[in-house]
Amino acid sequence: MKKQNLFFAAVAALVFTSCEKTEIKEVEKIVYADQAGSLSLTFDAKYGDSDFELNKKYPYQLINSSGTYDMEFEFSRLRYWVSNVKLIDKDNKEHAIPESYYLVEETNEIAVQHLVNGEKYPATKREEVTIKDIPSGEYKAIKFSIGVDQKYNDNIALTAGELGSLNGMGVSDGWMWFTSYKFLTVAGTIHWAGGTPTSKALSWETGSNALFDGGEKAVELTAPLKIDAQNSGKITCNVDVKELLSATDLPWVNNSISQNKKDLMIALRDTFLSKSLTFKEASSVSVEAN
């Protein structure tokens, strides 16, 4: 009789344990569905209809008041800061992503001028940014700035996201002995397709606190994007470098744009935001499918 009682007790314990595990799994599933998700934000660099590549000559026909000229542009660097990311949900509520500072770049090797041991920043290509801990929801738009806001731009020693004096554009590409950031850099060589002189260095850069205001880009999605722990989001923007060249109709004369040419820096910033940087596509992808 005791053995029989023990048997029934064991069976009851097993059933209770099995039910208890099932209940725990259901609770975990409910919590999991409401957890934060992630977003892949890609900036696909192009030159017109072609993929963008460094160290390659691209044709460019310049038309201005003086006539029509056949030129070629060869690039060695394209870099810019994407910052202050905000997602707008279907109810028009903005969700700011904390410490969202990302360096997007395609660059040849860069000598680091302020270091004495000949250190070099390696050749790098980075077009995709992964943003984590996004609140669960459906989003219809994204906003971000090109550049660095005043708090961090005034003190390059501060760290947030990818910012910092020993990171990325801070260590190898800053203004005035690295006391502030360059927001956008395009470098390379301009060539005449025929005639002389044959080539000239290209160095276009934007920066300064004054240029940060007005440097926000809003991208409207074609359909709401679902993001949660079970669905990651993907947003892709095109960056057409050929369109960026239209910032001036005198590129040979204005081959150098920097802090002493504020109007041209503004034109370069505005051209990048309004013409070069455009929405391509967006989608939600099941985490299990990744």
Side-chain angles (χ1 to χ4, degrees):
M1 186 69 178
K2 287 182 179 180
K3 288 183 178 180
Q4 189 177 23
N5 289 339
L6 287 173
F7 172 78
F8 285 122
V11 171
L14 182 62
V15 170
F16 177 78
T17 301
S18 175
C19 293
E20 187 176 35
K21 285 183 178 178
T22 301
E23 289 174 0
I24 290 173
K25 285 183 179 179
E26 290 299 320
V27 170
E28 288 177 346
K29 183 176 181 181
I30 294 171
V31 173
Y32 180 73
D34 290 337
Q35 287 177 343
S38 64
L39 170 68
S40 168
L41 182 57
T42 299
F43 298 88
D44 188 9
K46 302 284 186 181
Y47 186 90
D49 295 328
S50 304
D51 288 334
F52 177 74
E53 298 179 39
L54 300 180
N55 313 313
K56 176 181 177 180
K57 291 182 180 179
Y58 289 98
Y60 185 76
Q61 188 172 72
L62 174 66
I63 302 174
N64 60 25
S65 58
S66 299
T68 300
Y69 306 93
D70 291 323
M71 311 175 79
E72 293 175 322
F73 282 78
E74 183 178 2
F75 301 95
S76 61
R77 191 178 310 170
L78 173 65
R79 314 178 90 194
Y80 48 93
W81 282 102
V82 174
S83 68
N84 294 270
V85 179
K86 302 174 189 129
L87 285 164
I88 296 84
D89 67 24
K90 61 181 181 179
D91 297 319
N92 291 318
K93 182 180 178 181
E94 287 192 356
H95 300 263
I97 307 300
E99 298 195 355
S100 50
Y101 299 91
Y102 310 100
L103 180 59
V104 179
E105 60 181 333
E106 190 160 349
T107 179
N108 288 333
E109 187 177 72
I110 305 172
V112 184
Q113 298 177 4
H114 70 302
L115 298 180
V116 297
N117 296 322
E119 289 88 349
K120 293 183 178 180
Y121 186 84
T124 305
K125 180 175 181 177
R126 195 258 188 114
E127 293 185 324
E128 183 179 0
V129 169
T130 300
I131 305 173
K132 299 180 179 180
D133 299 323
I134 296 174
S136 173
E138 291 187 47
Y139 297 96
K140 66 177 188 178
I142 185 171
K143 294 180 180 178
F144 50 83
S145 294
I146 299 299
V148 178
D149 50 274
Q150 185 171 354
K151 174 183 176 180
Y152 294 100
N153 197 43
D154 282 350
N155 188 351
I156 204 169
L158 294 177
T159 58
E162 296 176 7
L163 294 177
S165 59
L166 297 179
N167 295 332
M169 197 177 275
V171 75
S172 61
D173 214 359
W175 298 111
M176 299 172 294
W177 286 98
F178 314 102
T179 58
S180 63
Y181 289 93
K182 294 178 182 177
F183 297 172
L184 165 67
T185 297
V186 182
T189 306
I190 308 172
H191 303 276
W192 286 105
T196 57
T198 57
S199 63
K200 200 173 190 180
L202 173 73
S203 178
W204 287 359
E205 301 163 339
T206 71
S208 82
N209 294 329
L211 259 76
F212 184 77
D213 294 333
E216 186 176 66
K217 176 76 174 184
V219 176
E220 300 288 334
L221 309 182
T222 52
L225 189 63
K226 185 176 182 180
I227 298 177
D228 54 32
Q230 295 171 315
N231 298 276
S232 60
K234 291 178 179 278
I235 298 176
T236 301
C237 293
N238 284 328
V239 176
D240 190 343
V241 181
K242 186 177 183 180
E243 289 286 355
L244 186 59
L245 299 180
S246 66
T248 173
D249 61 357
L250 296 171
W252 184 259
V253 176
N254 297 319
N255 65 305
S256 177
I257 299 175
S258 62
Q259 292 273 13
N260 61 344
K261 298 180 179 178
K262 183 178 178 181
D263 290 345
L264 286 173
M265 284 201 305
I266 292 172
L268 183 60
R269 177 201 67 187
D270 292 348
T271 302
F272 183 79
L273 291 171
S274 65
K275 297 176 67 177
S276 178
L277 179 57
T278 58
F279 171 71
K280 181 180 179 181
E281 60 187 8
S283 62
S284 294
V285 180
S286 171
V287 173
E288 295 179 357
N290 290 337

